[in-house]
Structure formats: structure tokens, C-alpha cells
Amino acid sequence: MKIALASPPYPASIADGLAWIEKLTKEAASQQAAIICFPESYIPGYPGMGVDPAERTPQKLEAALQAVQRIAASNSIAVIIPMDWYRDGALLNLAFVIDDKGEVLGYQTKNQLDPSEDNLWQAGAERNLFEVSGIKFGITICHEGYRYPESVRWAARNGAQVVFHPNYTGSNDTGRLPMEWGAKENPYYEKAQMLRAMENTIYFATSNYAFQYPESASSLIGPDGSCVAYQAYGKAGVITATMEPEKATGLLAGRFKPELYR
């Protein structure tokens, strides 16, 4: 199965975000990818980073989701689209999964918020698995994938062969441009991605914005912890890479003994 990981610029508006979604989704489909994943809170854009608050209304978010459904259907590719979303009056950080016919299969909420996000979103409380083209997968969103490895282990122990990880790490204002994936001078993020894959013996697929100063690359990590492919730092685009499902055995996740920690 070939998957695609998007590295779009930070969106100036929902319309700008949708334009990049259409562009990168078409590119992924042309390379025969079965699914493409976008970064955290891509619609309408991570809060407090310059997007007009008027973009974050239930009506505009619903219209944007419908637009992404049309993009998925017209390109015959599944899409993981992270969004802000209202449920019962609360604003959630979540990722919708849309199949290649444009149908919404469900969504995964961000359940472990970064302490700085407590006033931005309400944390979710459920974990879900999804299936596309015979591949089972989970989703963990940014901070919870980096700081709460249990979110990935749960998916692996329940049959996921890959966990997608929409995230937001970096800045367009300050920082440094990494030169080598996983280098010791890089922030810890890529090391954590490597561990999430190898400690569960599954693939880990992470998607980040194309910041001027990114702190991690959009990458596919193999079950042995090796980097299969990554997007060039600071460059907008999409990477596609082939997963070999037989290698995602979930061996180490399956050997975990939860009764030892009760």
C-alpha cells in the first residue's frame, strides 16, 4: 500500500487551505497513493497563528469538510483531514477520515492536550481504528503521540499496522532549518517518532507543516525504527512511500503485559 504525507504551508484562510488540499491530494493520487494525511488543525489553521477567528465557525467548518469530501471522491483517494470541530457546543481538535468515495468513516479526537492548549480545545475521550484498502490504522494527534506513547500502543494492540500522526512543530518566525533527519542536534520529535514505530513494531506516519523553521519532517517510519521517506525541510509538497504490511507485525505491542502495571 502506498501512502502520502502532506507538508503544506500554514493556511492564510480556509480557502487557501482547501486549495493546498486539492493540489497535494491530486499529486498524491497521481502517484497511486491510497491515502493522504494532512497536519494538525489544518482547517482552519492552528489557533492563534494569524487565521481570522471568523473562519472558525461551525458553518464554515462544515462547508470545508464537504469540500474535502468532494476532493477525495474526485481523486479516488482517502483523506485524513485534521480540523477544529464543534460537538455539543465544545470545540474539539480532531482528524476526520474520508474514504475514496468521499464518505466520512469517522474521526479521532485529540485526547491528551498540551498544557498550552487547555484554553483552546476540549479534550476528547475516545480512541478509534479505521481501515482503508485492507490496512488498519489509528491516529494520534501531535502532543499525545509525542508525550503519551499509550495512544499508539492502544492502536497497535488492537490491530493497527500504521498510526498516522498529524502534528504542528515549528515556526515561520524563529528557529533553525534542520539539515539531517534525526540528527542529534535536532529537537526530540523525530526520535520520538522513531520510538513509536519500533516499540510497537508498526509503521508511524507523521505529517507536519512546511514551516520556514520546522522542528520535524513529514516522515514515514518503518517498524524497525528506520526512516523510510521524509519531506525536505521547509519545502511545501507531498511525499509518497510504500508500506509492506507483512512487516507491521505488532510483535512488541502484542507482548506488552498490562497486568504488570495495574
Side-chain angles (χ1 to χ4, degrees), residues 114-132:
D114 183 277
S116 66
E117 298 170 341
D118 285 343
N119 295 322
L120 297 179
W121 296 293
Q122 179 174 299
E126 67 275 352
R127 301 224 68 84
N128 298 298
L129 284 183
F130 308 91
E131 185 170 337
V132 166

Side-chain angles (χ1 to χ4, degrees), residues 41-65:
S41 191
Y42 189 63
I43 297 293
Y46 193 92
M49 301 304 294
V51 173
D52 187 341
E55 293 279 270
R56 197 172 273 101
T57 67
Q59 295 78 15
K60 289 189 176 182
L61 295 175
E62 289 170 9
L65 176 60

Side-chain angles (χ1 to χ4, degrees), residues 133-144:
S133 298
I135 299 295
K136 291 183 179 180
F137 63 91
I139 298 171
T140 185
I141 300 175
C142 200
H143 174 77
E144 64 180 357

Side-chain angles (χ1 to χ4, degrees), residues 94-111:
L94 54 74
F96 281 105
V97 178
I98 302 168
D99 71 12
D100 59 2
K101 297 178 178 58
E103 297 296 322
V104 174
L105 300 181
Y107 59 78
Q108 175 61 59
T109 53
K110 188 175 187 179
N111 300 338

Side-chain angles (χ1 to χ4, degrees), residues 9-24:
Y10 187 85
S13 63
I14 287 179
D16 182 46
L18 289 172
W20 275 100
I21 291 169
E22 184 165 24
K23 171 182 170 61
L24 298 182

